[in-house]
Amino acid sequence: MTAAELFGGGIAVITGAGAGIGAGLARQASRLGMTVVLVDIDAGAVAALRDELRAAGGTAIDKVCDVRDAEAVQALAAAVHDDLGPVRLLVNNAGVEQFGYLWDTPVDNWRRVVDVNINGVYHGIRAFLPHMLASDTPAWVWNLSSIGGVAVVPLQAPYIMSKHAVLALTECLHLEVQAAGHADHVHVQAVLPGAVVSNIFESAGGVDGGDTDAAESQRAAMLDIKAAAMDPLAAAKVVFDQAAEGRFYLLTQPDYVSSAMIERARVLTSQEAPRLRTERRFDPSRS
């Protein structure tokens, strides 16, 4: 089946929809004919995207919600279920970055990464998945990991850790849905984007003490990578098409992300210690 046949006409809930790949996924979902619930902490961003999608003939609703707040996410899920009906696609995408040596990372910044990148995914699953399991309507859950979920990168430890966690959580959830007897209609998939244009690097946390130069040097390096990053709408189209093919790992740049997966498998198989690389580890121009 095609992406339009699977997802057209259903309801999509996308967190972190205000920018980056979240906005790209929202635009593609709308193009496929989905009713899109745009969720973000940035009210202005999702309001603007709502107006854009409606102007193009789509159906979009903006919701301000902080995914760190379990009760707020529960209320969102209840409202969507009661007002709109069964959710066909849940995208747990909201995420933040952090630069700097781990020992220089402020406690509040660490907690922010964990609360948004990991707890936000958990809150989304806990709030929405029971409704999806209770319905016999086909449904999909996409959790956003990253190429960083199969890599190790210095000066970004909190973010990399969080994306490893999301990938493992998603793999376990995929098995749990099977074990609970719901795999015939609820499909769990992991999204691993490579470099996709967003404002995540600009808004990333840094350090307020210690080696600030190292933290800002890493930010600058990632901003250089952003200059060659993939367009969010193009990335979203790839993700939807791969999901329609029934893949579990959805890769925005298949060759590029797969190479990181292969390297990760090689290192684990050989049981090598991580090695510091002086060259640029990831090249987003590779696809």
Side-chain angles (χ1 to χ4, degrees), residues 97 99 156 195-196 198-205 219 222-223 225-226:
E97 251 279 21
F99 297 121
Q156 292 175 239
V196 175
S198 75
N199 62 3
I200 193 170
F201 301 139
E202 290 90 339
S203 61
R219 188 194 306 273
M222 298 307 291
L223 288 171
I225 285 178
K226 175 183 174 180

Side-chain angles (χ1 to χ4, degrees), residues 1-269:
M1 296 182 71
T2 66
E5 290 169 332
L6 280 182
F7 300 106
I11 296 167
V13 177
I14 303 172
T15 68
I21 194 168
L25 290 167
R27 291 185 175 102
Q28 182 62 15
S30 184
R31 288 186 175 192
L32 293 173
M34 302 193 83
T35 294
V36 186
V37 181
L38 308 166
V39 182
D40 205 289
I41 199 169
D42 186 336
V46 285
L49 184 55
R50 173 205 64 202
D51 293 344
E52 174 194 322
L53 298 182
R54 288 179 178 177
T59 303
I61 300 163
D62 55 314
K63 295 284 189 178
V64 176
C65 182
D66 186 342
V67 298
R68 297 173 293 183
D69 185 337
E71 292 184 0
V73 180
Q74 288 282 355
L76 172 68
V80 171
H81 183 267
D82 292 345
D83 298 342
L84 300 176
V87 172
R88 182 167 298 178
L89 174 63
L90 169 66
V91 183
N92 291 305
N93 164 72
V96 295
E97 251 279 21
Q98 170 66 33
F99 297 121
Y101 288 118
L102 190 57
W103 55 87
D104 288 338
T105 300
V107 171
D108 286 347
N109 291 22
W110 169 268
R111 288 175 176 160
R112 174 175 178 252
V113 171
V114 171
D115 282 347
V116 175
N117 295 10
I118 302 176
N119 293 345
V121 174
Y122 162 67
H123 293 155
I125 291 165
R126 189 169 182 272
F128 282 91
L129 192 57
H131 294 292
M132 300 165 88
L133 296 175
S135 171
D136 58 3
T137 304
W140 283 258
V141 177
W142 295 352
N143 295 331
L144 270 285
S145 179
S146 164
I147 189 172
V150 292
V152 290
V153 182
L155 295 159
Q156 292 175 239
Y159 176 81
I160 296 298
M161 173 279 302
S162 73
K163 293 304 181 179
H164 277 252
V166 170
L167 182 57
L169 178 155
T170 307
E171 290 167 336
C172 292
L173 181 64
H174 180 78
L175 296 176
E176 290 184 2
V177 168
Q178 292 180 50
H182 297 289
D184 58 332
H185 76 284
V186 175
H187 312 277
V188 177
Q189 296 165 309
V191 184
L192 282 76
V196 175
V197 174
S198 75
N199 62 3
I200 193 170
F201 301 139
E202 290 90 339
S203 61
V207 299
D208 53 12
D211 197 336
T212 56
D213 289 344
E216 293 311 310
S217 177
Q218 185 68 8
R219 188 194 306 273
M222 298 307 291
L223 288 171
D224 286 345
I225 285 178
K226 175 183 174 180
M230 190 176 190
D231 175 75
L233 184 57
K237 185 177 187 306
V238 172
V239 170
F240 271 97
D241 288 346
Q242 289 180 357
E245 293 171 8
R247 300 187 188 188
F248 175 75
Y249 299 103
L250 310 180
L251 317 178
T252 58
Q253 297 107 312
D255 292 344
Y256 161 46
V257 180
S258 291
S259 67
M261 299 172 83
I262 292 167
E263 174 64 9
R264 180 66 175 165
R266 185 195 68 78
V267 169
L268 291 174
T269 301

